[in-house]
Amino acid sequence: MSSSKIPGEFELIKHLQKKLKSYSRNQAILGIGDDCAIIQGPSGKHLLITTDMLLEKVHFSSHYSSYNQIGEKSLLVNISDIAAMGGEPRYAFLSLALPSSIAFEKIDELLQGITETARNYSIMILGGDTNASRLGDNFSDHPASEGCGLVISITLIGEISPDKIITRKGANRGDLILVTGQLGASAAGLDILEHLQDSYNEKPFYEDLVKRHQVPVVRLQESRVISQHHLATAMLDISDGLAGDLRHLCSQSDSGAVIWISQFPVAQGVKEIAGILNKSYLSYVFSGGEDYELLFTCPPERSREAKSIIEEATSTSITVIGEITEKTKGIRAIDLNGNTVPVSAGFDHFH
């Protein structure tokens, strides 16, 4: 029996959207294709629903993070999806696939990280499921019988007023592209853990970069300000790298974009780590992933107001990094000399 390879992640998502779209039958306010689905909720509110799966050795490693940190991260990445649409997280469902080798104390540590994070964000955990992350002994000839490590899947439900929803679809030609905080930190932090552990304590920013990988910073407060003041025409969070997520935004908004490399707010130490490892720092920004900063578009006449309001309310820096263009121009990056630089596809789980 012949089979074809799984395409790139972006192409796979588009394929799944096409296949599954007919099943929504217009019952959802917003279905497949954004950070969250939206359905009608009680008391005039809409419900935001998102789910994320984290796999050991793909999204985290117990060699580099404590189980408490892994628990924190698993819920925070879901909270970031709710923030990406301007909503408030409310209820969570937790499913775990556990390897037989994991100690019971480690499970407790993992749950502590999840529950403490839930408490900090006023989220109620209402249920879930547990399973083993390996096949039984009767299937010992199957490659998967070796196990697949710890798997954490969280479904998070949030709420939002209908007039405050921000989706990926809405950017207009001429809108400026803005980003919160700094870029490249998480990927550089992972490289420090994998390749530079002997130098870990040499400079303070090494630890800062590592922390951004282990426990993401979620821009929920910034999202509240953006939503409350209607500052964004489109928004998402940067989980797959700037290149990949800008591509998602442009695809949903039926547009292109130009971004200016000289304006990128690169996290301190990222360029130095890239130099030590003989790689381009842009690889951390474009395709490193897991920065979880907000990427949003704003009419040019409101960009200064947006920057001022958000920075004053949250102390988080806001940077204009580009502009929305017509779709036919695609996504282009311009360097200091005015030359066009190739933009990678972003992080891809299947490559």
Side-chain angles (χ1 to χ4, degrees):
M1 183 175 66
S2 63
S3 62
S4 57
K5 292 178 64 176
I6 294 177
E9 186 175 5
F10 187 75
E11 288 73 22
L12 178 63
I13 290 171
K14 290 177 67 175
H15 177 76
L16 293 174
Q17 289 172 357
K18 182 178 179 181
K19 289 290 185 180
L20 298 175
K21 192 172 183 179
S22 61
Y23 292 95
S24 66
R25 302 188 185 278
N26 297 321
Q27 294 178 9
I29 295 168
L30 182 64
I32 297 169
D34 218 298
D35 287 286
C36 305
I38 305 176
I39 61 175
Q40 180 67 51
S43 305
K45 296 271 189 176
H46 288 345
L47 297 181
L48 303 172
I49 304 171
T50 184
T51 187
D52 265 302
M53 184 186 299
L54 277 74
L55 286 74
E56 190 168 2
K57 297 183 180 180
V58 176
H59 301 97
F60 63 84
S61 169
S62 58
H63 294 297
Y64 302 143
S65 301
S66 69
Y67 280 91
N68 189 289
Q69 290 172 328
I70 294 167
E72 285 185 75
K73 181 176 182 176
S74 64
L75 185 52
L76 286 171
V77 299
N78 282 271
I79 295 172
S80 186
D81 280 339
I82 299 291
M85 301 192 74
E88 292 290 337
R90 296 295 187 224
Y91 312 103
F93 294 84
L94 167 66
S95 293
L96 298 174
L98 302 166
S100 58
S101 59
I102 190 171
F104 192 74
E105 293 78 10
K106 298 302 181 182
I107 299 174
D108 273 354
E109 189 178 337
L110 175 77
L111 293 175
Q112 183 180 13
I114 294 172
T115 55
E116 285 180 351
T117 303
R119 190 177 300 113
N120 290 339
Y121 287 90
S122 300
I123 296 169
M124 295 178 61
I125 299 177
L126 299 179
D129 192 19
T130 57
N131 213 321
S133 65
R134 65 185 301 275
L135 299 179
D137 293 335
N138 292 335
F139 299 90
S140 57
D141 293 334
H142 195 288
S145 63
E146 296 178 359
C148 55
L150 173 63
V151 180
I152 308 166
S153 180
I154 293 180
T155 297
L156 185 60
I157 299 173
E159 63 179 15
I160 191 170
S161 298
D163 64 330
K164 290 185 171 61
I165 295 171
I166 310 169
T167 68
R168 299 178 179 185
K169 184 177 182 179
N172 302 302
R173 180 179 174 182
D175 282 355
L176 295 179
I177 303 168
L178 296 84
V179 66
T180 62
Q182 298 177 321
L183 303 174
S186 178
L190 178 59
D191 259 356
I192 291 171
L193 289 169
E194 291 185 335
H195 305 295
L196 300 173
Q197 282 203 25
D198 292 340
S199 307
Y200 182 82
N201 295 317
E202 284 186 6
K203 298 182 179 180
F205 65 73
Y206 279 29
E207 186 174 358
D208 293 338
L209 295 174
V210 166
K211 284 181 178 178
R212 283 298 299 268
H213 172 72
Q214 293 170 327
V215 181
V217 173
V218 173
R219 300 301 186 184
L220 185 60
Q221 186 180 3
E222 293 77 4
S223 165
R224 289 168 178 153
V225 176
I226 293 169
S227 175
Q228 179 183 352
H229 293 275
H230 303 282
L231 299 174
T233 53
M235 184 164 72
L236 46 61
D237 66 332
I238 302 177
S239 56
D240 295 331
L242 175 62
D245 287 306
L246 180 58
R247 188 180 177 195
H248 289 310
L249 188 149
C250 288
S251 174
Q252 291 294 315
S253 297
D254 200 30
S255 64
V258 57
I259 47 179
W260 309 306
I261 291 173
S262 62
Q263 300 302 309
F264 288 178
V266 181
Q268 182 185 7
V270 165
K271 292 181 180 181
E272 180 172 329
I273 298 301
I276 293 171
L277 297 176
N278 196 29
K279 62 196 300 184
S280 169
Y281 77 91
L282 289 176
S283 66
Y284 293 136
V285 175
F286 280 150
S287 56
E290 295 198 337
D291 279 325
Y292 296 104
E293 298 290 355
L294 295 176
L295 181 73
F296 63 102
T297 56
C298 176
E301 66 271 15
R302 298 201 67 194
S303 61
R304 288 187 179 181
E305 176 191 9
K307 177 178 172 65
S308 175
I309 290 174
I310 300 167
E311 289 182 346
E312 183 175 346
T314 67
S315 299
T316 298
S317 63
I318 303 296
T319 308
V320 176
I321 63 167
E323 182 180 355
I324 296 296
T325 63
E326 58 268 33
K327 184 178 181 179
T328 55
K329 290 191 174 181
I331 298 175
R332 297 167 294 139
I334 308 299
D335 67 13
L336 277 168
N337 299 316
N339 300 316
T340 300
V341 176
V343 179
S344 64
F347 179 79
D348 190 330
H349 287 88
F350 297 101
H351 293 280

